[in-house]
Amino acid sequence: SQPPAQWCRKKRREMRVIPTKLDRKVDPLKLKALSMGLSKELKILLVKVESGGRQTFNISEVQEPRIPIPLSKINITNTAADVIRACRGASLKGKFKESYLPPAFSVKPNIAVETPIPRDKLNPPTPSIYLESKRDAFSPVLLQFCTDPKNAVTVIRGLAGSLRLNLGLFSTKSLVEANSDHAVEVRTQVQQPADENWDASGASQTWPCESSRSHTIIAKYAQYQASTFQESLQEEKESENEEDEEQTPNQSAATKADPQSLTLPSFFMTFFFSRWKPQLQELLKLPAFMRVESSNNMLSHVGHTILGMNTVQLYMKVPGSRTPGHQENNNFCSVNINIGPGDCEWFAVHEHYWELINNLCEKHGVDYLTGSWWPVLEDLYSSNIPVYRFIQRPGDLVWINAGTVHWVQAVGWCNNIAWNVGPLNSYQYQLALERFEWNEVKKVKSIVPMIHVSWNVARTIKITDQDTFKMIKHCLLQSIKHIQILRDQLVAAGKKICYQSRVKDEPAYYCNECDVEVFNLLFVTSENSSKTTYVVHCEDCARAKSPSLTGVVVLEQYRTEELMKIYDGFVLVSMIL
């Protein structure tokens, strides 16, 4: 039992009045030194709790006062509390701006671009995997091969057959029967051979690849697709007896045409599956890493729909239909299955060469990120850039690895389905974050909100790969620093911050002016003095409108303690063998 409080006080008085030999020999200078601050104290925090109807106190924390670590010394080994203290002790003026990527750290493969590549090596063979059984498709070796940073693209031959995928569900006939009035987007292009791209006059090859956009419904496009096929069959029948003009229905009419007379338009269209259950159910037969949704797919942790990325996109094509050159949004991987009946021709370049292609786009007056371009192969070869070139047949799956530059042309009449995936590996994460920051520099919207996704991944996924963990943890660290320094500056300036927690399925936010992702601290204004329409801004754009932030409401979507808990709880997990 505890002694009475009076007894404790009496004992303390007695201890002070009874001298000891040690007391008599204490150096007065040392006593003075103790009074000057060499003493230490323990800070004990008590929390009131109720137990059995009685109130009592528990010790919740015992800590020693700590000197803040300089902000420049903070790294991912520090706790969230260390980070917050360092931010508060930094007293920074102006905007805090640091990269979300770890400094001097990369998992990209070493590829020597200075060494000239012999011309016969500039068309390397495309890695093609032939599956013999369902067991082969679910082998971990397939995942390792497809996501290997050295492999830009992988063609998996006969995947549909080995998994018994019912591709008929994606045929034009099935689509019309399921939803003939579904709205679709149509692109009108000029037909020409896959390895050529002529300017409007037909005098020289160029990079810009223009097309016009319109809209229709599935039934009308299906009618167009079928009629062009029938016309081609009729032309073939009429020319059967003419030498040197034989052409099968699966070949593009563009292959025999004079580039200067290519005036016939070619069409393709896309639409997004949202209420197509049989089709989506069929895709669950795929290996987990290829599926539209899986726990190790970063796009499954966005928390909302990104059309064409974490939903299925479908293309209905006629010969000559083109998907111009591009990297996928935020450099994510992509899956593409040819439904048939015709083929598609693909061109692909490893991510390592994207900056060289960007320079060639600039040279030819077309924007790499937002423009429509079709590379002239000779320009690539002259720049020492190797190009993979291959045919995708019906039932073949093409895996585009992170960051791979690619462009596609339909050889025959065919449908294709495609979507993106984000494997949780260090290579994918690094490239996604690199493009996130490059997009901000170029003032292009990052379709994938990488800061939002990183926090969601840290909250829900256990990471076993050290490099992946290091990158995500550093991103969270930088995010906390950005938030805390901005928050302290706003509070110091007397700006009120209002807490408004997120709700289920609430999307990530982007600045209405510059399209940069805005995470946690939202600068909100009402549009045209409306009390029902609100617009989100980043700090820079909000201050551009009002330097003192007059008329701007600052909303906070996460408590500091909540982010600290997620940060400290995100640790590297040992792989269980």
Side-chain angles (χ1 to χ4, degrees):
S1 60
Q2 295 290 336
Q6 292 180 345
W7 186 86
C8 291
R9 286 197 294 271
K10 181 178 179 181
K11 292 292 289 182
R12 285 197 289 272
R13 285 197 296 272
E14 290 175 350
M15 289 172 68
R16 283 198 292 272
V17 298
I18 299 175
T20 65
K21 293 182 180 179
L22 180 62
D23 288 333
R24 296 190 191 99
K25 295 183 179 180
V26 169
D27 187 341
L29 292 177
K30 290 185 178 180
L31 286 175
K32 183 178 180 181
L34 286 171
S35 69
M36 293 172 68
L38 292 181
S39 61
K40 298 181 179 180
E41 73 172 29
L42 291 176
K43 183 179 180 182
I44 301 175
L45 303 180
L46 302 180
V47 178
K48 184 186 292 185
V49 296
E50 291 190 4
S51 178
R54 298 175 57 190
Q55 289 188 347
T56 183
F57 290 89
N58 281 349
I59 296 175
S60 65
E61 184 177 352
V62 178
Q63 61 180 15
E64 291 188 49
R66 301 179 63 180
I67 300 173
I69 303 169
L71 191 60
S72 61
K73 301 294 184 183
I74 289 288
N75 58 54
I76 62 173
T77 63
N78 297 112
T79 65
D82 290 336
V83 180
I84 299 296
R85 276 192 293 267
C87 291
R88 289 173 176 167
S91 301
L92 293 178
K93 293 183 179 180
K95 187 176 181 179
F96 175 78
K97 185 66 177 175
E98 284 185 2
S99 172
Y100 290 96
L101 288 159
F105 180 76
S106 176
V107 295
K108 292 183 180 182
N110 293 320
I111 300 176
V113 293
E114 297 81 9
T115 305
I117 302 174
R119 182 56 185 259
D120 61 337
K121 301 293 185 182
L122 288 171
N123 280 124
T126 304
S128 300
I129 296 177
Y130 290 80
L131 299 180
E132 296 182 358
S133 66
K134 181 178 178 179
R135 185 176 183 179
D136 291 343
F138 285 85
S139 167
V141 177
L142 182 61
L143 166 62
Q144 293 168 7
F145 188 89
C146 289
T147 57
D148 188 325
K150 295 190 295 294
N151 297 328
V153 58
T154 303
V155 186
I156 303 175
R157 304 289 187 188
L159 178 81
S162 62
L163 295 180
R164 296 185 179 180
L165 286 175
N166 182 8
L167 298 184
L169 289 169
F170 303 94
S171 69
T172 300
K173 182 175 181 292
S174 296
L175 298 174
V176 171
E177 290 173 351
N179 198 342
S180 62
D181 293 330
H182 193 101
V184 297
E185 179 184 300
V186 179
R187 293 279 182 171
T188 305
Q189 303 164 327
V190 175
Q191 274 189 333
Q192 48 191 322
D195 55 359
E196 298 176 9
N197 190 54
W198 296 87
D199 60 19
S201 67
S204 61
Q205 293 206 57
T206 185
W207 279 58
C209 177
E210 301 302 328
S211 64
S212 61
R213 183 171 65 174
S214 60
H215 293 84
T216 186
I217 59 174
I218 288 179
K220 288 185 178 180
Y221 188 84
Q223 185 179 13
Y224 166 78
Q225 193 182 42
S227 66
T228 57
F229 183 75
Q230 291 299 325
E231 288 171 8
S232 178
L233 286 176
Q234 184 64 29
E235 290 175 5
E236 179 193 9
K237 185 176 181 180
E238 292 174 355
S239 63
E240 277 182 347
N241 298 324
E242 299 179 20
E243 291 184 0
D244 302 324
E245 289 192 21
E246 288 187 358
Q247 183 175 338
T248 66
N250 194 40
Q251 290 179 309
S252 168
T255 59
K256 66 171 185 178
D258 178 357
Q260 297 189 39
S261 65
L262 295 175
T263 57
L264 293 175
S266 65
F267 299 81
F268 77 94
M269 75 87 186
T270 65
F271 72 90
F272 308 99
F273 287 92
S274 56
R275 294 182 294 273
W276 300 74
K277 288 186 179 179
Q279 286 81 1
L280 293 175
Q281 192 72 27
E282 193 68 15
L283 297 180
L284 293 178
K285 294 179 180 179
L286 292 168
F289 79 96
M290 294 180 179
R291 291 175 195 162
V292 181
E293 185 174 351
S294 68
S295 60
N296 281 327
N297 178 359
M298 279 188 275
L299 294 175
S300 296
H301 300 280
V302 174
H304 60 269
T305 296
I306 303 178
L307 292 178
M309 290 200 72
N310 56 11
T311 62
V312 180
Q313 189 172 20
L314 182 138
Y315 302 81
M316 298 171 70
K317 304 177 182 180
V318 296
S321 298
R322 287 182 164 182
T323 302
H326 67 289
Q327 289 172 295
E328 297 295 317
N329 291 320
N330 284 95
N331 283 333
F332 275 78
C333 298
S334 74
V335 173
N336 187 296
I337 301 175
N338 185 7
I339 305 302
D343 299 339
C344 286
E345 183 166 13
W346 287 67
F347 302 83
V349 173
H350 193 281
E351 183 274 342
H352 187 80
Y353 300 95
W354 82 265
E355 289 183 85
L356 292 176
I357 298 178
N358 176 61
N359 294 339
L360 288 168
C361 282
E362 289 182 357
K363 180 181 176 181
H364 290 87
V366 61
D367 188 274
Y368 178 81
L369 292 177
T370 61
S372 180
W373 43 273
W374 191 266
V376 176
L377 291 179
E378 281 303 320
D379 291 343
L380 298 180
Y381 299 149
S382 299
S383 299
N384 207 37
I385 300 175
V387 181
Y388 295 97
R389 184 174 182 177
F390 58 94
I391 295 294
Q392 178 193 28
R393 302 182 184 89
D396 289 348
L397 183 147
V398 174
W399 172 274
I400 292 293
N401 209 1
T404 296
V405 187
H406 58 287
W407 53 105
V408 189
Q409 177 157 318
V411 178
W413 288 261
C414 61
N415 292 350
N416 290 69
I417 53 174
W419 59 93
N420 292 103
V421 290
L424 263 171
N425 61 56
S426 54
Y427 183 62
Q428 172 67 91
Y429 188 81
Q430 178 181 339
L431 295 190
L433 210 51
E434 282 183 353
R435 183 48 50 88
F436 174 83
E437 296 194 338
W438 178 245
N439 284 345
E440 184 175 350
V441 170
K442 304 298 286 185
K443 299 189 182 305
V444 173
K445 183 176 181 178
S446 280
I447 303 301
V448 182
M450 285 303 298
I451 309 306
H452 173 83
V453 168
S454 297
W455 281 103
N456 283 352
V457 167
R459 183 189 295 109
T460 58
I461 299 295
K462 297 186 183 302
I463 303 296
T464 57
D465 177 70
Q466 187 169 5
D467 289 341
T468 308
F469 167 77
K470 180 178 179 179
M471 289 185 180
I472 298 176
K473 188 80 171 184
H474 184 82
C475 179
L476 303 184
L477 168 65
Q478 294 302 90
S479 179
I480 288 182
K481 287 157 68 173
H482 279 263
I483 293 167
Q484 189 59 42
I485 289 172
L486 175 55
R487 196 182 193 286
D488 290 345
Q489 290 174 342
L490 291 170
V491 171
K495 187 64 182 177
K496 182 180 178 181
I497 299 176
C498 305
Y499 176 72
Q500 181 174 291
S501 63
R502 291 179 60 83
V503 297
K504 185 180 179 181
D505 298 328
E506 185 174 357
Y509 289 98
Y510 293 86
C511 176
N512 188 62
E513 308 297 327
C514 69
D515 279 333
V516 71
E517 181 186 352
V518 184
F519 179 77
N520 191 32
L521 293 176
L522 313 180
F523 295 77
V524 181
T525 60
S526 57
E527 189 174 13
N528 300 324
S529 301
S530 169
K531 293 184 178 180
T532 57
T533 305
Y534 297 94
V535 178
V536 173
H537 309 274
C538 66
E539 183 198 7
D540 287 349
C541 292
R543 290 193 184 278
K545 289 178 174 290
S546 174
S548 61
L549 298 180
T550 303
V552 178
V553 176
V554 180
L555 296 182
E556 183 178 44
Q557 295 201 299
Y558 297 93
R559 300 282 192 192
T560 301
E561 294 76 16
E562 184 180 355
L563 295 180
M564 291 173 69
K565 183 178 179 180
I566 296 171
Y567 180 85
D568 287 336
F570 182 61
V571 296
L572 182 64
V573 177
S574 299
M575 184 179 293
I576 301 175
L577 300 178

